[in-house]
């Protein structure tokens, strides 16, 4: 890589970091909403079940 190419890449990289880190850039926080998984009744299973891959975040009271 030549010095000109390395310098051009460095400038591009710095601009890219600024762009993606901007307040409305792709890395900005969209929301802090908790995703609730619906409880699903399974006719042949005891109790309640949740979709595959879901994990219990809190206990029902």
């Amino acid at each position: 890589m030549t010095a000109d190419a390395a310098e051009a890449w460095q400038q591009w990289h710095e601009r890219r970091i600024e762009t993606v880190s901007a307040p409305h850039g792709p890395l900005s926080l969209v929301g802090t909403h908790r995703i609730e998984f619906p409880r699903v009744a399974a006719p042949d299973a005891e109790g309640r079940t949740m979709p595959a891959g879901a994990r219990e975040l809190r206990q029902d009271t």
Side-chain angles (χ1 to χ4, degrees):
M1 185 181 302
T2 65
D4 291 339
E7 185 178 332
W9 181 86
Q10 184 64 35
Q11 290 174 357
W12 171 85
H13 183 68
E14 290 170 3
R15 284 193 315 270
R16 179 69 179 152
I17 295 296
E18 290 173 13
T19 301
V20 299
S21 301
H24 297 288
L27 296 180
S28 65
L29 181 63
V30 174
T32 56
H33 313 289
R34 175 176 279 183
I35 298 173
E36 297 288 336
F37 291 101
R39 303 255 181 214
V40 179
D44 297 333
E46 283 188 37
R48 295 175 293 181
T49 60
M50 295 179 69
R55 59 188 178 96
E56 187 69 31
L57 296 176
R58 61 191 159 128
Q59 298 292 325
D60 290 334
T61 56

